[in-house]
Amino acid sequence: MIRIALASQTDIAGWREAARKLLLAGVIPARVEFNIGTETLFDEGDPIPPPGDRKPVISKELLGDIQTALLHSDPERFALAYRIVFRAQTQPKIHQNPADPDMYTLRALAKSVRRDIHKMHAFVRFRKVGEENGRESFVSWFEPEHHITEAVAKFFQNRFTGMNWLIVTPEASIAWDGKKLEVGPGGQKSDVPQEDAVESEWKTYYASIFNPARLKTKAMMAEMPAKYWKNLPEAALIPGLTREAEARMNAMIDNASPDGENAPAIAVKETQAPAHASGGFDGLKPLYDALRAANDWPREDFSDRLVPGEGPKDARMMFVGEQPGDQEDQAGRPFVGPAGQLLDRAFAAAQIDRGEAYVTNAVKRFKFVQRGKRRIHSKPSNDDIEYYRWWLEQERQVVEPQVIVALGATAVRALTGKTLTISRNRSQLIDYIGSSKLLITVHPSYLLRLPDGAGQKVEFEKLVRDLSLAKSALPA
C-alpha cells in the first residue's frame, strides 16, 4: 500500500503533486491511501514506483470540480478524486457522464461545498471591537461545514477592504489589516465578542426589512437554515416577527391612509433639570460651560472629555446622534469618524450643507470598555441618556431648529423620553415641540455594519431620502 501524507485538510496542492506522480507511475487507486498530517508518520508504506512515459491528462472542467470537492469534509474525498483522475486517463470524457457513480458523488460534494461557501458569505456577522490607526476593526465567528475558510478569504477581502477584520472558525482564522491577508489557527466561539455597540441597530434594520405580508416560512428556512441561527443576532427576532406577522399585516391594512402619508404628533416626556442647574441659556458656550462644570454626570466607563455639538446657533436643521466615538473623543468634535464621514456623504447627496446645520449627540461623552490599548464603544444606558436629556433640550431651545433629525434609537429616546420603534416611525415628518418637525431615521454607523454592498447601497439611498425629506420641511 502506498500511503500519501497530506499536510492539512486543505492541502490540495499536495494532493495534485502526489496524484501526478501516481498517475505517471500508473499506480491503481486500490494501492493508494491518503492521510492527513502525521497519521502516516510511523508507517510510510510503499514508495511510489518510477514514472512511466505517458503524461497524465485531466480536463480543466474536471479539475475545477475536483478542487472544489476536495474542500468537503468527507474523509474519502482525496481517494475519490484520485480514482476519477485515474479513470480519466482511459475515459477522457468521464466528467461528461452525469450517471457515472464517481462523478455523481464528486459533484454532490462540490455542490455541498459551494452551498457552504454561499452560506458563509451570507451569514458572517461582524462585531466591532474598536479602531486602530483610523480603521475600524471587526471580528466574527463562523462554523462552516467544510474546509472553506481559506477559500472565502478573497471574497471578504474584496468586500470589506476598508476595514480591519478577523474571521475565526474552529479550523482556521483569516485576517485582513488593509495590507495583508493572513491565515492563522482556528479558535473558539468564546474568543469572539458575542455582542457589540451596533447590535441593536442591526436588529432594528432586520426588523425593519421584515415584511409580514411577504412571509414565507418554508422559503426562509431553506435560505437561512436553523443551524446558522445561533450565531446570527437577528435570529432571536424571527420567532416574534413570525408570530406577529398576521397581526402586523392586518394593522398595515387598517392604518393605510388613502394617500399613503402619515404625519402624527408626538407627546414628548418632560425632562428633569439637575438640582444645581437652571435653563434659559443665551448661547451655546454658556450652556456647555455649565455642562462641563456639572459634577454629577455618570463617570463610570466614560471619557472625561466633553464633546459639544457643532454648528451655527441659528441652524434651521439639527441632527442628533448617539454619543461621540473614539475619534470624536480625541478630536473633541462630533461625527468626524467613519460614521460621520458616511453622514457627510449623505448630506452631500441630500444637498444639505453641514456648515449650516447643527450636529450633536444625545450623550455628550464617549462611553467605552478598555481592552488592552483599545477603547471599545459601549452603548449608553437609559440612565446615561436620561442624564443628558435636559442638556439636549437646552441645546434645542438655544438653536431652535425648525427640523430635527434623530439618528438612531438613542437619539429618539433622548428627544422624546420614549423607546420608539424606528421601523414604525422612520421617514415621517412628525409634529414635535412648538412648530418644529422631527424625523426619525437610522444612525449612519449601522450602515457600515451591513454585510453586503447591495444592502449598504439600499440603506444609504434610504438615509439620503430621509435627509431630503427632512430638508423639504424647511420653510422656503
Side-chain angles (χ1 to χ4, degrees):
M1 179 67 71
I2 299 173
R3 292 186 170 85
I4 304 297
L6 301 174
S8 68
Q9 296 284 0
T10 56
D11 187 12
I12 297 176
W15 175 88
R16 290 185 63 170
E17 181 180 355
R20 184 174 181 278
K21 292 179 179 177
L22 294 166
L23 291 174
L24 281 168
V27 178
I28 62 173
R31 289 191 59 206
V32 182
E33 180 180 288
F34 290 92
N35 297 288
I36 306 299
T38 59
E39 293 178 13
T40 60
L41 185 62
F42 301 107
D43 184 7
E44 297 180 349
D46 300 329
I48 298 177
D53 297 332
R54 187 169 182 177
K55 186 178 180 181
V57 177
I58 304 173
S59 75
K60 289 184 179 178
E61 181 182 351
L62 175 57
L63 191 58
D65 283 338
I66 287 175
Q67 288 180 321
T68 302
L70 289 183
L71 297 177
H72 200 278
S73 55
D74 187 332
E76 298 301 320
R77 64 193 184 281
F78 292 109
L80 169 68
Y82 179 66
R83 187 163 64 245
I84 291 175
V85 296
F86 181 84
R87 293 178 57 200
Q89 304 312 302
T90 55
Q91 304 173 56
K93 295 185 179 180
I94 185 175
H95 61 283
Q96 297 177 357
N97 180 6
D100 182 272
D102 282 343
M103 283 304 305
Y104 179 85
T105 302
L106 184 82
R107 289 199 165 121
L109 297 184
K111 181 179 180 180
S112 179
V113 168
R114 284 193 287 269
R115 179 176 174 80
D116 202 29
I117 290 174
H118 170 71
K119 295 304 180 187
M120 188 165 179
H121 289 170
F123 296 143
V124 161
R125 294 289 183 268
F126 285 109
R127 267 111 180 165
K128 185 177 178 180
V129 294
E131 297 180 6
E132 185 174 354
N133 298 324
R135 290 172 61 86
E136 292 185 299
S137 299
F138 294 83
V139 176
S140 179
W141 167 257
F142 195 78
E143 299 169 51
E145 287 187 14
H146 307 303
H147 309 291
I148 62 170
T149 305
E150 292 181 50
V152 301
K154 277 292 182 183
F155 169 86
F156 287 100
Q157 178 188 349
N158 295 333
R159 182 61 61 89
F160 301 111
T161 303
M163 67 188 203
N164 298 342
W165 51 259
L166 168 68
I167 301 176
V168 183
T169 75
E171 183 178 82
S173 60
I174 48 178
W176 168 251
D177 64 359
K179 298 178 181 177
K180 186 168 57 178
L181 190 64
E182 290 189 337
V183 178
Q188 300 178 355
K189 187 176 181 179
S190 58
D191 297 334
V192 178
Q194 300 306 302
E195 188 173 355
D196 68 0
V198 295
E199 198 87 23
S200 62
E201 291 173 340
W202 166 247
K203 291 179 180 177
T204 299
Y205 165 75
Y206 184 83
S208 71
I209 63 173
F210 182 87
N211 186 341
R214 301 182 64 182
L215 175 62
K216 295 180 179 179
T217 304
K218 290 184 178 179
M220 182 177 68
M221 293 291 291
E223 180 59 27
M224 190 165 69
K227 65 182 179 182
Y228 296 106
W229 289 20
K230 60 183 178 182
N231 295 321
L232 299 175
E234 67 271 27
L237 304 176
I238 294 175
L241 291 170
T242 304
R243 188 168 53 249
E244 298 169 359
E246 183 175 353
R248 288 181 57 191
M249 184 176 66
N250 292 334
M252 289 167 60
I253 296 172
D254 293 341
N255 295 334
S257 59
D259 56 6
E261 295 182 353
N262 199 10
I266 191 167
V268 177
K269 185 179 177 182
E270 189 175 349
T271 59
Q272 296 295 323
H276 61 280
S278 58
F281 295 102
D282 60 2
L284 293 167
K285 184 178 184 307
L287 187 157
Y288 274 107
D289 286 345
L291 180 52
R292 286 191 182 91
N295 58 13
D296 59 345
W297 53 279
R299 296 174 183 276
E300 187 176 2
D301 299 329
F302 274 96
S303 167
D304 289 337
R305 183 193 293 268
L306 186 145
V307 179
E310 187 176 82
K313 177 185 173 183
D314 58 350
R316 297 202 298 165
M317 298 187 75
M318 180 174 180
F319 296 85
V320 182
E322 183 196 71
Q323 66 167 346
D326 185 48
Q327 293 189 40
E328 284 80 6
D329 179 64
Q330 295 180 39
R333 295 180 56 206
F335 284 100
V336 296
Q341 294 164 20
L342 190 150
L343 183 61
D344 285 345
R345 294 200 297 275
F347 279 159
Q351 298 184 326
I352 294 174
D353 185 346
R354 175 165 172 163
E356 296 180 355
Y358 188 79
V359 181
T360 190
N361 282 297
V363 174
K364 309 301 184 186
R365 291 180 171 89
F366 176 41
K367 188 174 185 179
F368 63 94
V369 175
Q370 191 77 45
R371 290 183 183 165
K373 296 182 180 179
R374 296 181 303 178
R375 301 191 302 172
I376 310 302
H377 176 286
S378 180
K379 193 173 183 63
S381 68
N382 288 341
D383 287 344
D384 300 332
I385 299 169
E386 194 61 33
Y387 174 81
Y388 286 101
R389 275 197 71 216
W390 184 83
W391 295 99
L392 177 64
E393 170 57 15
Q394 301 310 303
E395 208 173 9
R396 186 199 67 79
Q397 290 183 21
V398 171
V399 180
E400 291 188 306
Q402 292 155 319
V403 177
I404 302 173
V405 178
L407 301 167
T410 297
V412 172
R413 185 177 179 87
L415 288 164
T416 66
K418 302 175 181 178
T419 301
L420 300 179
T421 304
I422 291 183
S423 59
R424 295 179 182 173
N425 296 279
R426 182 179 181 180
S427 307
Q428 303 177 61
L429 290 168
I430 303 170
D431 290 337
Y432 191 54
I433 298 174
S435 60
S436 64
K437 297 287 186 181
L438 174 67
L439 185 136
I440 295 172
T441 188
V442 296
H443 193 284
S445 65
Y446 112 96
L447 273 70
L448 302 172
R449 257 297 296 285
L450 297 182
D452 60 84
Q456 291 176 348
K457 183 178 180 181
V458 169
E459 283 302 315
F460 181 79
E461 291 173 352
K462 289 172 65 177
L463 177 61
V464 171
R465 283 201 299 271
D466 285 345
L467 299 185
S468 299
L469 179 61
K471 183 183 178 185
S472 72
L474 293 174

